[in-house]
């Protein structure tokens, strides 16, 4: 067969890598197909072309779409961010459609590793997550365990030395149980009489179970009271929502409360229950929540979906423990006593003898100079050994009065020298034999020598101080004075030199003592004390003193003051004094003396005291007139509403001008008492309105004419309006406040209240006329008061709404009262409890609890004074007072 198709001629080129398709292999395959179709091509196509446009076209037609998709997938796999975005788009739907068991098994290893790495990296994160959940439960569990431990310990200690305790100890030994378990078994007698299951959110009673022969009031009323008590405690002490009362005790009754997510289980127990009962009650509550969680969460008063709850609660009321009535084992007690009495007597005598011996050993240990190294008691004999100073007390003599038999005491003492200060003092006194003028004493564990002694004794004392043992007390002889004549003369001379150096105006430059004579030289002010006169009383021989003094002028303030008084001769009206190393002149003097004083101040030597004459007043008539004028100007400047713009004095006349508020003081009236002649004063004042709050208040009073119920006052430069006023007047006041704010002043109207509208007054009077009455000794109103409470709740809600519309806030004070029955404290407590009960009942009827305040008045605010049956019933009530804010 012959073909007319032209041979295929493809240019040679390498395979393309854009789609990773082996084009050469594809070309080989197509040519092989062509050869099989037309054998003539077999001879002409020896070489295999690498590519051909027609082949490319054929490839695109056959697998072009697949190649494009493979290229896109390959690019997606090479880009991690795009791959993650693509997988994230389909992962949620894939996980939702997967089988839960298979998905959990597949994800479990990865989740476990992720959680493990997260905890290893940051353990605090897991702690912060679990802390709010586990901490309250752990704290409560630990608290109950501690209470259980203390309860067991308390009961064990209470019965350990009683007849019952001995009987129970024998029972514990016989049964193999611990003594504390047996004690709790017999001493903790209790019975669960009632169990209430209460909705946590609404306070409604879900179920109630009562034990046989147990009596109670209305369960629904008890449930309401328990909820009211919980709300009262939580609101009064600002506790968290999940907190609540755990235990309430009233006589023999205990109320144990366990709180769950949707319900609270309250058990009423008579007697003394063990702490383990908490776990049993808690397990019952957990089982109820596991079986009826959805019904409890949606509970609205219908118990049809909670069938079987009472069966769970019945397990609680069946819990009880009755007192055992077994007989007492008198024979066992008698046998035990026969054994214990002789043993106790022997033990007591041994203990008493040992106590006496220990008292003697303690007495030895407190004796100075005695060290007890070893002591023991063996076969009724006493042995003691140690060290003893020869100067210490005799141990044999210390036995007297201890009631220890000396014949049974065997002692062995080694002599040593104690370093106690009192023993060292005795040895020093015996060896040194101090003269009568020297006294040795112990001061702060040191031996101190004081007085006067010859130098030979002092040398011996120093040698003894050096020979004292290391670690012993120090021997201080620094306070012993040498009494030789040369030493006394030198001491007297030093006292004289110190006396000279303390004198003002004397400077000691050099002093020495040689060959029994004394030499001194220096500087001396002529006004200073005479050095020769200071020798008296110093016991220094004047004939042995050789002095040489140079005169100089001292800059001491006292000497400078003397020279100024001599040179200036101040008048009697001027006083010169020294103030803080400065010479100050005060008083009045002529200007000529003031000029001389200024010249003297300039001539004072540099480094000396300053001469201040600024307080000397010029007594010339012109100066006095200028002073009086400045006093008047200062008085004007201090006046509110007066501003001094310019003031001057010329030719004996005074000129002043400025601004003055018409309500300010009259400037001419202020001239009186200033000493200024009014005929020489020329003033020019321009009227203006001062912004001083006092003047602004006067203008506001004149323009606004506030009613008597409004008071304007100034508080810290602010004008404050207080009281009640009509709305029209308040609007006028607001306009005035805006006008004042433009001048920088503030008129505050926040404490101004609008007069109460008439409809609020009428409703308030109706509410305040209502009283909720109670039976004697009861804190809960009777059923006949429920309609009164319903009507009162509607009135309170209506008044609160009307008050909000009127722009005011209404608050209601619930005041509880009681009659004269019972103690004063009990009457006050029950009155407060009645007010709290009414508050809880009004809250359940939709009244905002934030608007309800409570207080107990006891018998201090009676409705009727007479103490009769009618008066007492009228006083057992809760009244309502309405306040607007």
């Amino acid at each position: 067969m012959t073909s007319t198709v032209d041979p295929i001629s493809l240019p040679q080129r390498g395979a393309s890598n854009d789609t990773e398709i082996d084009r050469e292999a594809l070309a080989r395959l197509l040519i092989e197909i062509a050869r099989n179709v037309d054998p003539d091509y077999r001879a002409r196509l020896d070489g295999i072309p690498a590519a051909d446009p027609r082949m490319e076209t054929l490839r695109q037609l056959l697998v072009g779409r697949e190649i494009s998709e493979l290229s896109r997938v390959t690019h997606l796999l090479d880009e991690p961010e795009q791959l993650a975005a693509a997988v994230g788009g389909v992962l949620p739907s894939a996980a939702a459609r997967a089988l839960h068991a298979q998905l959990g098994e597949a994800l479990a290893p990865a989740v476990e590793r992720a959680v493990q790495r997260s905890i290893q990296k940051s353990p605090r994160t897991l702690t912060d997550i679990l802390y709010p959940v586990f901490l309250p439960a752990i704290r409560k569990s630990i608290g109950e365990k501690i209470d259980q431990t203390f309860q067991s310990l308390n009961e064990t200690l209470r019965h350990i030395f009683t007849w019952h305790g001995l009987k129970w100890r024998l029972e514990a030994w016989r049964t193999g149980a611990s003594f504390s378990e047996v004690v709790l078994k017999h001493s903790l007698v209790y019975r669960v009489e009632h169990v209430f299951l209460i909705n946590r959110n609404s306070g409604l009673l879900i179920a109630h179970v009562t034990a046989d022969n147990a009596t109670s009031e209305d369960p629904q009323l008890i449930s309401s009271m328990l909820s009211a008590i919980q709300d009262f405690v939580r609101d009064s002490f600002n506790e968290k929502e999940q907190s609540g009362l755990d235990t309430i005790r009233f006589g023999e009754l205990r109320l144990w409360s366990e709180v769950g997510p949707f319900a609270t289980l309250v058990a009423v127990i008579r007697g003394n229950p063990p702490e383990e009962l908490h776990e049993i009650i808690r397990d019952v509550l957990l089982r109820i929540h596991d079986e009826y969680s959805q019904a409890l969460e949606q509970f609205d008063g219908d118990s049809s979906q909670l069938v079987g709850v009472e069966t769970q609660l019945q397990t609680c009321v069946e819990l009880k423990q009755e007192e055992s009535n077994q007989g007492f084992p008198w024979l066992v007690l008698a046998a035990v006593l026969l054994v214990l009495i002789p043993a106790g007597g022997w033990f007591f005598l041994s203990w008493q003898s040992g106590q006496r011996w220990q008292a003697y050993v303690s007495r030895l240990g407190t004796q100075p100079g005695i060290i007890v190294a070893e002591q023991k008691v063996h076969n009724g004999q006493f042995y003691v050994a140690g060290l003893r100073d020869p100067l210490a007390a005799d141990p044999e003599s210390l036995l007297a009065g201890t009631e220890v038999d000396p014949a049974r005491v065997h002692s062995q003492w080694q002599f040593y020298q104690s370093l106690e200060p009192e023993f060292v003092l005795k040895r020093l006194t015996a060896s040194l034999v101090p003269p009568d003028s020297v006294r040795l004493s112990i001061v702060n564990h040191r031996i101190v020598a004081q007085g006067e002694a010859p130098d030979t004794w002092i040398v011996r004392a120093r040698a003894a101080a050096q020979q004292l043992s290391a670690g012993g007390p120090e021997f201080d002889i620094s306070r012993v004075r040498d009494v030789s004549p040369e030493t006394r003369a030198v001491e007297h001379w030093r006292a004289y030199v110190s006396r000279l150096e303390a004198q003002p105006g004397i400077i000691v430059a050099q002093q020495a003592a040689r060959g029994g004579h004394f030499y001194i030289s220096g500087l001396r002010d002529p006004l200073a004390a005479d050095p020769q006169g200071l020798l008296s009383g110093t016991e220094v021989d004047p004939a042995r003193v050789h002095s040489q003094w140079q005169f100089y002028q001292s800059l001491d303030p006292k000497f400078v003051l003397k020279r100024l008084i001599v040179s200036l001769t101040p008048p009697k009206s001027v006083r010169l004094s020294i103030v803080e190393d400065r010479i100050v002149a005060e008083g009045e003097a002529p200007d000529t003396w003031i000029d001389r004083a200024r010249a003297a101040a300039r001539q004072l030597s540099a480094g000396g005291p300053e001469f201040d004459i600024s307080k000397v007043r010029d007594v010339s008539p012109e100066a006095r007139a200028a002073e009086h004028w400045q006093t008047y100007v200062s008085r004007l400047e201090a006046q509110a509403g007066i501003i001094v713009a310019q003031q001057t004095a010329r030719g004996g006349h005074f000129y002043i001008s400025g601004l003055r508020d018409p309500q300010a003081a009259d400037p001419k009236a202020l001239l009186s008492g200033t000493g200024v002649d009014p005929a020489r004063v020329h003033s020019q004042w321009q009227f203006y309105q001062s912004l001083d709050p006092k003047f602004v208040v006067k203008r506001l009073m004149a323009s606004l004419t506030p009613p008597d119920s409004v008071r304007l006052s100034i508080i810290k430069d602010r004008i404050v309006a207080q009281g009640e006023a009509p709305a029209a007047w308040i609007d006028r006041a607001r306009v005035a406040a805006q006008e004042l704010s433009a001048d920088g002043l503030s008129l505050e109207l926040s404490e101004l209240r609008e007069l109460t509208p008439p409809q609020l007054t009428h409703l308030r009077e109706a509410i305040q006329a209502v009283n909720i009455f109670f039976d004697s000794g009861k804190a809960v109103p009777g059923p006949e008061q429920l309609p009164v409470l319903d009507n009162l709740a509607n009135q309170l809600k209506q008044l609160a709404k009307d008050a909000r519309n009127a722009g005011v806030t209404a608050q209601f004070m619930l005041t509880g009262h009681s009659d004269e029955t019972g103690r004063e404290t009990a009457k006050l407590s029950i009155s407060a409890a009645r007010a709290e009960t009414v508050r809880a009942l009004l809250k359940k009827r939709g009244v905002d609890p934030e608007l309800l305040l409570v207080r107990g008045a006891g018998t201090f605010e009676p409705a009727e004074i007479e103490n009769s049956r009618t008066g007492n019933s009228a006083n057992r009530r809760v009244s309502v007072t309405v306040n607007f804010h």
Side-chain angles (χ1 to χ4, degrees), residues 424 428 447 463-470 473-475:
V424 176
L428 285 175
I447 299 175
Q466 294 173 355
Q467 294 174 1
L468 286 180
S469 302
E474 176 189 356
F475 185 25

Side-chain angles (χ1 to χ4, degrees), residues 701 706-712 721-726 729 752-753:
M701 294 292 291
D708 296 338
S709 59
V710 175
R711 179 169 58 89
L712 299 180
Q722 297 171 314
E724 295 182 344
W729 191 90
L752 197 62
R753 299 187 304 274

